[in-house]
Amino acid sequence: MVTNSTIANIYLGAVVTALSASHFEPAVIQIPDGEEHKNLAWLAFVYDRLIDAGIDRGGAVVALRGGVVGDLTGFAAATYLRGVACVQVPTTLLAQIDASIGGKTGINHAAGKNLLGAFKQPRFVLADVECLSTLPRREYVAGLAEVIKTGAILDAELFQLLEAELPALLRQERDLLVRVVRRCCQLKALVVAEDETEGGYRAILNFGHTLGHAIESLTDYTTYLHGEAVAIGMVAAARVSHRLGRCDETTVRRLTQLIERCGLPVDIPSDLGRDALALAMRTDKKALGGTIKFVCLEGIGATRFERLTCEEIVRHI
């Protein structure tokens, strides 16, 4: 079982006790918390601990996790002994509605986010919304960015629900939270079922991520949480969409206002110039032949792809 020190302090004892009571023999691997640790060095550390524990092909790797632990653990499971079973137990909102579903795993490289990885579907995902009550406020709010993204690209009714019930969602009212998490999981699963390895339609889920990943990379993964960077990226993508004539001002305004109401950032940092952003996007794993399959909004719940150069993207921000 792989986890980080923050989550271990809350859940590790109960989970180890439960597994032991069911006649498993869990070996616990702890890595530090934070996106900056999702790298080759800590992947090697996990491999070493799996070998030390004698995990064979009949074993499984359980990610007791937020996004970083889940991505790194999934990649380790995909590649250790050419693949062992993986189970995802997400403890953050971001992980429950997005990162734990769909089989994407990976680690970061100095040149860009998630440049090294594999598709590895988990045997199952266990998402318990009660875990979200232990999240720091900033982490929970950052997860709402992916909820908003899901509504913006796939479900106008979900987006309208967020507009109407955001205060209750910020208070983590349980019935509403279950409804929202369930709907986001259903939508993500439908997209993945149609295009598991992102050969086409699944790229719709990258809305806001092209610029978001560039911002994370340029700020060394220490200034913004992933959801915060995606929030900025979504607003920028909506502005690009409008300036290309793909959506109206009302769509941009509704998205921006909902993100702002969450308390999430909407503006690209002033010290990140266009040239730096374009360079960071060129090394994005989604770049192909000097262009990016950019997700544009046509309206709330409707999108289209545009093949754009990095320079075109930053020019229209």
Side-chain angles (χ1 to χ4, degrees):
M1 181 165 57
V2 184
T3 189
N4 66 39
S5 52
T6 302
I7 296 171
N9 288 335
I10 304 171
Y11 298 115
L12 182 58
V15 175
V16 168
T17 297
L19 287 171
S20 299
S22 298
H23 309 293
F24 291 100
E25 299 177 9
V28 177
I29 303 170
Q30 287 193 44
I31 65 173
D33 199 1
E35 185 77 23
E36 65 271 24
H37 300 108
K38 198 172 79 173
N39 57 34
L40 279 168
W42 284 104
L43 178 66
F45 174 82
V46 171
Y47 288 144
D48 289 344
R49 300 290 82 75
L50 291 173
I51 293 168
D52 291 344
I55 303 300
D56 58 26
R57 286 183 172 176
V61 184
V62 179
L64 180 63
R65 54 152 303 173
V68 171
V69 168
D71 285 355
L72 189 149
T73 301
F75 189 28
T79 49
Y80 177 72
L81 301 180
R82 295 195 175 98
V84 295
C86 180
V87 171
Q88 297 284 354
V89 186
T91 58
T92 68
L93 180 58
L94 175 65
Q96 288 188 0
I97 63 143
D98 184 62
S100 64
I101 301 167
K104 277 189 178 181
T105 73
I107 58 173
N108 301 329
H109 185 274
K113 185 179 174 75
N114 293 332
L115 290 184
L116 309 174
F119 289 94
K120 173 68 174 178
Q121 294 296 343
R123 291 292 181 89
F124 69 90
V125 178
L126 174 62
D128 184 349
V129 298
E130 299 294 341
C131 294
L132 304 182
S133 64
T134 64
L135 279 181
R137 178 70 169 179
R138 184 184 175 193
E139 290 272 0
Y140 176 74
V141 170
L144 289 175
E146 291 283 358
V147 178
I148 293 170
K149 181 203 78 174
T150 303
I153 62 173
L154 291 168
D155 191 340
E157 289 187 7
L158 173 60
F159 195 90
Q160 291 168 357
L161 176 67
L162 298 176
E163 290 178 312
E165 301 292 343
L166 183 61
L169 193 59
L170 287 169
R171 292 194 300 270
Q172 297 189 31
E173 290 192 4
R174 189 181 187 281
D175 289 347
L176 177 62
L177 192 53
V178 169
R179 179 181 174 188
V180 168
V181 169
R182 178 187 292 119
R183 183 58 179 157
C184 288
C185 290
Q186 290 170 338
L187 291 166
K188 176 81 180 276
L190 286 171
V191 172
V192 173
E194 184 168 329
D195 176 20
E196 181 180 6
T197 57
E198 202 174 336
Y201 179 57
R202 184 171 175 170
I204 192 177
L205 300 173
N206 293 326
F207 176 65
H209 285 60
T210 298
L211 279 157
H213 286 170
I215 291 168
E216 287 183 280
S217 177
L218 291 170
T219 55
D220 297 322
Y221 305 102
T222 58
T223 303
Y224 295 98
L225 297 177
H226 175 68
E228 294 168 341
V230 168
I232 297 171
M234 284 192 292
V235 172
R239 290 171 179 162
V240 171
S241 303
H242 175 58
R243 285 164 187 165
L244 291 173
R246 304 297 177 248
C247 71
D248 57 24
E249 290 185 8
T250 300
T251 298
V252 180
R253 183 170 64 252
R254 286 179 65 190
L255 178 65
T256 304
Q257 288 177 345
L258 184 57
I259 291 172
E260 286 182 319
R261 286 174 60 201
C262 289
L264 289 164
V266 296
D267 295 318
I268 295 173
S270 58
D271 59 337
L272 298 185
R274 290 186 177 187
D275 290 344
L277 285 168
L279 181 60
M281 284 189 286
R282 283 193 204 103
T283 60
D284 191 288
K285 63 186 180 300
K286 297 180 290 295
L288 179 64
T291 64
I292 287 177
K293 190 176 183 180
F294 194 77
V295 186
C296 287
L297 280 185
E298 291 189 304
I300 299 301
T303 62
R304 65 180 291 171
F305 294 120
E306 294 283 351
R307 184 60 69 175
L308 301 172
T309 66
C310 300
E311 289 74 18
E312 286 175 317
I313 293 169
V314 297
R315 187 167 67 244
H316 290 298
I317 292 173

